[in-house]
Amino acid sequence: MNDEVGLKSWIPALALLVCPVALGDMYVLPPAGVDLVGLEQNTVARFEDTMPDIARRYGLGYEEILMANPGADPWLPGDGREVLLPTRHILPQGTREGIVINLSEHRLYYFPKAQKGQPAHVITHPISIGQMDWH
């Protein structure tokens, strides 16, 4: 085995160990005509929390948690401050299959094929466009 080929096969696994990955949420796909999944939640910030910490903990993106909490300092929200978690999502219009990316809300929706006899699901993840101030 070539050492270079062996190393390349480990790179994705190492990246998952080193890089934090935002966890997505899975919901049962609602019936036709219903476009909402999830529920809004609240949490209370601790002294050491930042808004990005809270966003990561709940599978949210940086911009969406800031928009849900106007006036909050992103780096020092304050011990005991109630933080709104925008964990309720409007499903994108169109065909609900495969991957759909909603750029305006920086969110990916994945509609996997339903298993026989099981309800259909949608999995959603926060995403980034990869460059600051790139609209």
Side-chain angles (χ1 to χ4, degrees), residues 68-89:
N69 296 279
D73 184 326
W75 305 112
L76 294 170
D79 189 31
R81 181 189 177 105
E82 189 169 323
V83 177
L84 175 64
L85 304 171
T87 51
R88 189 170 201 188
H89 307 287

Side-chain angles (χ1 to χ4, degrees), residues 26-119:
M26 183 181 343
Y27 304 100
V28 172
L29 199 59
V34 178
D35 294 330
L36 289 174
V37 293
L39 299 171
E40 283 190 358
Q41 303 175 59
N42 292 303
T43 191
V44 176
R46 300 179 304 232
F47 173 76
E48 66 274 7
D49 282 336
T50 66
M51 293 302 258
D53 291 335
I54 297 168
R56 259 191 307 274
R57 192 176 309 134
Y58 290 95
L60 299 168
Y62 175 73
E63 289 186 18
E64 66 185 336
I65 199 165
L66 289 185
M67 286 190 293
N69 296 279
D73 184 326
W75 305 112
L76 294 170
D79 189 31
R81 181 189 177 105
E82 189 169 323
V83 177
L84 175 64
L85 304 171
T87 51
R88 189 170 201 188
H89 307 287
I90 300 172
L91 296 173
Q93 294 182 0
T95 307
R96 294 188 175 158
E97 58 185 42
I99 294 175
V100 177
I101 295 176
N102 186 329
L103 283 177
S104 65
E105 67 173 341
H106 294 175
R107 190 155 282 278
L108 176 144
Y109 294 89
Y110 173 52
F111 300 93
K113 289 188 178 186
Q115 301 294 322
K116 200 176 252 187
Q118 298 293 320

